[in-house]
Amino acid sequence: MEIYPLGILDFELSEKIAKGIVSPEGKLVAEKANNRLIVLDVPARHAELKQAFRQLRPEIHHVRIQVTFAERGVGTTESFRVDGRLSVGSVILRTPDAPADGSVRIQADESRLSMASLVKQELIVLSGSTARIRVGTDIPYADWIWDYGVQRGYWTGAEGAGYQGAGAVRWREVGAQLVIEPYVLGSTVRVRLTPEFSYILDKDRLTTAVEKLTTEVMVEDGQEIELGGIPVSDREFYSRFLTGYTHDGEKRSLRILLKPTIETTKPP
């Protein structure tokens, strides 16, 4: 006797095939509740049954997604300096660079520094499943995104990004993710991209995916695309969604490049 778990195979079709292979002297028990077949028969019939099920199993497609994060930002440093002399009774205090004429000189400086970084990572996702790319743990335009979404009906009602009407407590500690769902179609990958937010509303930690802003793009196997270069449904929203803070508190813009590669395996 052998037990055949069917997994992703169609139950009715598998049962029909098994009935055509099991000998008159053999016995077949179909357990739909457990998604399996139990067969009692001679070894030759079991070998034939295994071969039939092996041919039924579809190819499994995984998509290896190379994600490149290209960050650009501008940092600002400020300095303030006073040079001069000060008399306190018989004591004279004088800075090293005090003007010789006894005056006081005040100097303020501000400098701006451009920053850029390139980070790559890889995700392996089963075709039809989802993965997430973290855009930022704290986004600078949280209030703008809140108001923008409310005005356009992206989130309304108690469950929609925490919006509960005028005067309600707004979200805080807002983080941004991008949900990626690849689906293999021959040598092409259909990629669905959905912005998602995690946040605290009142005392609850919540997550909301903005399905109304889902974007789909068809990508050839091995082709690299830039998120900012594909036709998204709301450019103004995405321009702020792809902006975050550096560790020093400076704003930085984020370019995301995706390169999906199809990996196909045949179940044993």
Side-chain angles (χ1 to χ4, degrees), residues 205-256:
R205 168 64 70 177
L206 304 172
T207 300
T208 297
V210 190
E211 298 288 348
K212 292 183 179 180
L213 291 177
T214 294
T215 298
E216 286 191 5
V217 60
M218 302 297 290
V219 187
E220 291 298 319
D221 183 19
Q223 177 188 356
E224 186 173 60
I225 60 168
E226 180 179 348
L227 178 57
I230 65 176
V232 294
S233 53
D234 199 315
R235 286 278 176 205
E236 192 173 9
F237 174 90
Y238 269 93
S239 67
R240 288 167 171 80
F241 179 77
L242 295 177
T243 301
Y245 286 118
T246 66
H247 292 299
D248 297 326
E250 300 290 346
K251 290 181 183 178
R252 60 96 176 100
S253 59
L254 180 65
R255 293 173 59 224
I256 299 180

Side-chain angles (χ1 to χ4, degrees), residues 23-223:
S23 66
E25 295 78 18
K27 185 175 181 181
L28 168 66
V29 178
E31 293 186 348
K32 189 169 185 177
N34 295 318
N35 195 35
R36 67 181 186 178
L37 302 178
I38 301 175
V39 178
L40 177 63
D41 212 331
V42 297
R45 298 293 177 138
H46 282 294
E48 189 178 348
L49 194 55
K50 289 175 183 178
Q51 178 62 24
F53 287 159
R54 190 176 297 115
Q55 294 176 350
L56 276 181
R57 295 187 185 278
E59 293 181 333
I60 297 176
H61 299 293
H62 287 85
V63 181
R64 182 183 297 272
I65 302 176
Q66 184 184 81
V67 185
T68 302
F69 300 91
E71 296 184 355
R72 293 187 180 275
V74 178
T76 302
T77 60
E78 298 178 349
S79 62
F80 185 81
R81 179 173 178 173
V82 178
D83 293 316
R85 57 183 292 172
L86 174 66
S87 298
V88 181
S90 60
V91 179
I92 298 177
L93 303 177
R94 185 176 185 275
T95 63
D97 297 323
D101 59 4
S103 62
V104 176
R105 180 173 58 231
I106 301 175
Q107 181 177 346
D109 295 306
E110 178 181 291
S111 61
R112 298 176 68 82
L113 176 65
S114 296
M115 300 168 291
S117 65
L118 196 67
V119 179
K120 293 187 177 183
Q121 70 177 60
E122 283 193 342
L123 307 172
I124 299 180
V125 190
L126 181 66
S127 176
S129 298
T130 60
R132 284 168 173 77
I133 298 174
R134 182 171 296 279
V135 176
T137 55
D138 187 17
I139 59 176
Y141 293 105
D143 288 343
W144 184 93
I145 289 175
W146 173 280
D147 292 332
Y148 193 74
V150 169
Q151 292 168 11
R152 285 158 177 75
Y154 293 160
W155 35 77
T156 56
E159 76 285 358
Y163 180 62
Q164 297 175 344
V169 178
R170 295 192 174 202
W171 55 11
R172 55 192 173 88
E173 296 184 23
V174 183
Q177 298 83 236
L178 194 62
V179 181
I180 300 179
E181 181 183 349
Y183 189 84
V184 175
L185 298 168
S187 63
T188 304
V189 183
R190 184 191 67 199
V191 181
R192 300 182 77 239
L193 302 166
T194 304
E196 182 180 79
F197 297 96
S198 60
Y199 53 94
I200 293 178
L201 183 74
D202 195 5
K203 297 180 180 179
D204 298 324
R205 168 64 70 177
L206 304 172
T207 300
T208 297
V210 190
E211 298 288 348
K212 292 183 179 180
L213 291 177
T214 294
T215 298
E216 286 191 5
V217 60
M218 302 297 290
V219 187
E220 291 298 319
D221 183 19
Q223 177 188 356

